[in-house]
């Protein structure tokens, strides 16, 4: 690992001021630290945001659940308030990695990293989340731009993620047996007016499957999507699963999610 400057800013303003093209924020360190150790990433400045109180915590209001950026997966998984409002979100958080990862990794780090197999981006998309940064509010549909790419600008810090409470929802994942990242993950949310089926792991970045969402918006039953064939041409193909297999997994897990609602 190369040497770097380590900063512990007192507040968001200070953290953002320290940021440059060769810096990284340190939240849980579950991605940034291994990347640095393996030489995949090198930073001049590491800006530790874990001690900024404003960035952590969970708030449930009538229509939304707002989770601070440095809130750990384990805190979400164990939150009674989140479980009552959006049980699928506690299920998602409780299924991330292992106990060590869940006790370090954070919501903000997960979505800022936008790994194509990460679980939280699918929750953001399905639950019409708003990403609050130190400068603006970004709709989830405009936040995830591509593989490991988001709408965040240099020095822009995620402060919190605001999820819309759905009528019903469920998350189903076909996990990588080693890491638990999603080979395919399907987050289904039934809102008053529409159904969103968000998919992670299948393509280069999270997306809403329009065909599944449309079919389930018309008829919210697993028979409405039974036998549906998805286009696999843009799906990931690797040692874990071919594109065709992923396409069939998306439908299978969407059906499971409907049945579990
Ligand atoms: C073994 C293992 C298994 C895992 N399994 C899963 C899984 O099953 N599902 C899943 O979804 N994830 C999984 N993860 C990912 C993990 O849960 C973390 O969410 C992820 O590694 C990044 O979060 P972090 O808080 O550790 O971020 P860090 O590693 O600290 O930071 C990652 C990146 O995000 C940026 N960043 C962090 N916080 C902010 C912020 N507030 N604003 C702007 N940018 C920010 C940093 O600059 C850095 O570039 C796994 C990780 C490991 C190591």
């Amino acid at each position: 690992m190369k040497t770097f400057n380590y900063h512990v800013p007192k507040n968001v303003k200070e953290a953002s001021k320290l940021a440059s093209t060769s810096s990284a924020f340190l939240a849980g360190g579950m991605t940034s630290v291994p990347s640095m150790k393996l030489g995949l990433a090198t930073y001049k400045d590491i800006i530790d945001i874990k001690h900024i109180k404003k960035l952590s915590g969970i708030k449930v209001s009538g229509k939304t659940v707002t989770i601070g950026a440095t809130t750990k997966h384990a805190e979400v998984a164990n939150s009674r308030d989140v479980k009552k409002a959006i049980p699928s979100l506690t299920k998602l958080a409780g299924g991330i990695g292992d106990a060590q990862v869940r006790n370090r990794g954070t919501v903000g780090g997960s979505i800022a990293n936008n790994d194509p197999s990460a679980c939280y981006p699918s929750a953001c998309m399905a639950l019409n989340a708003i990403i609050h940064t130190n400068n603006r509010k970004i709709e989830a549909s405009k936040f995830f731009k591509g593989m490991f790419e988001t709408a965040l600008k240099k020095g822009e810090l995620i402060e919190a993620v605001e999820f819309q409470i759905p009528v019903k929802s469920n998350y189903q994942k076909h996990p990588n047996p080693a890491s638990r990242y999603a080979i395919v993950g399907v987050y289904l949310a039934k809102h008053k007016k529409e159904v969103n089926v968000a998919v992670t792991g299948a393509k280069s970045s999270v997306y809403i499957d329009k065909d599944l969402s449309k079919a389930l918006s018309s008829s919210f039953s697993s028979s409405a999507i039974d036998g549906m064939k998805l286009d696999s041409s843009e799906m990931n193909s690797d040692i874990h699963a071919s594109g065709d297999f992923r396409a069939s997994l998306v439908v299978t897990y969407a059906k499971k999610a409907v049945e579990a609602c």
Side-chain angles (χ1 to χ4, degrees):
M1 202 193 286
K2 299 231 169 103
T3 54
F4 52 84
N5 304 310
Y6 175 70
H7 307 270
V8 187
K10 283 193 237 28
N11 52 43
V12 168
K13 203 171 167 194
E14 213 177 283
S16 170
K17 221 170 163 189
L18 285 162
S20 71
T21 45
S22 59
S23 70
F25 294 119
L26 182 69
M30 289 292 96
T31 293
S32 52
V33 173
S35 306
M36 290 163 74
K37 280 168 85 175
L38 292 168
L40 299 170
T42 309
Y43 304 107
K44 219 173 107 210
D45 296 283
I46 289 293
I47 306 158
D48 191 338
I49 56 171
K50 287 195 299 292
H51 308 286
I52 304 176
K53 279 213 176 92
K54 182 189 171 185
L55 297 179
S56 177
I58 295 169
K59 208 169 87 196
V60 179
S61 76
K63 293 185 179 163
T64 60
V65 170
T66 303
I67 303 181
T70 58
T71 309
K72 294 171 189 139
H73 307 322
E75 292 173 63
V76 177
N78 295 324
S79 164
R80 282 194 198 158
D81 291 341
V82 179
K83 190 167 187 182
K84 204 166 155 207
I86 316 180
S88 54
L89 206 50
T90 53
K91 182 186 176 195
L92 175 150
I96 290 178
D98 49 41
Q100 285 90 339
V101 170
R102 291 194 291 276
N103 279 286
R104 300 291 307 183
T106 68
V107 180
S110 174
I111 67 166
N113 197 44
N114 194 20
D115 188 296
S117 300
C119 302
Y120 264 115
S122 66
C124 292
M125 293 288 278
L127 299 171
N128 300 324
I130 307 284
I131 322 300
H132 295 235
T133 79
N134 55 329
N135 291 327
R136 57 190 168 138
K137 292 179 185 178
I138 312 170
E139 289 169 25
S141 58
K142 295 184 181 136
F143 182 83
F144 301 103
K145 293 281 191 191
M147 190 185 279
F148 297 110
E149 201 192 330
T150 69
L152 289 173
K153 301 209 168 101
K154 179 177 78 74
E156 193 168 10
L157 189 75
I158 300 167
E159 294 191 339
V161 186
E162 182 184 351
F163 298 94
Q164 189 184 323
I165 298 175
V167 179
K168 292 175 180 180
S169 62
N170 191 256
Y171 181 61
Q172 295 284 334
K173 166 163 86 163
H174 188 78
N176 178 307
S179 71
R180 318 309 288 174
Y181 270 110
I183 289 175
V184 161
V186 175
Y187 204 115
L188 173 110
K190 184 179 193 303
H191 297 281
K192 278 195 186 127
K193 292 193 180 146
E194 88 278 352
V195 172
N196 291 336
V197 180
V199 181
T200 186
K203 294 190 180 178
S204 57
S205 183
V206 66
Y207 66 98
I208 293 281
D209 189 292
K210 293 202 175 110
D211 295 334
L212 289 170
S213 302
K214 197 173 160 200
L216 291 170
S217 296
S218 305
S219 165
F220 194 70
S221 71
S222 60
S223 59
I225 54 172
D226 196 22
M228 197 179 251
K229 290 256 176 303
L230 303 183
D231 178 6
S232 65
S233 59
E234 285 179 17
M235 297 227 176
N236 301 331
S237 217
D238 54 32
I239 55 164
H240 303 297
S242 66
D244 286 342
F245 184 43
R246 277 189 163 86
S248 77
L249 283 177
V250 173
V251 178
T252 301
Y253 282 98
K255 280 173 62 185
K256 278 190 176 202
V258 176
E259 283 159 13
C261 270

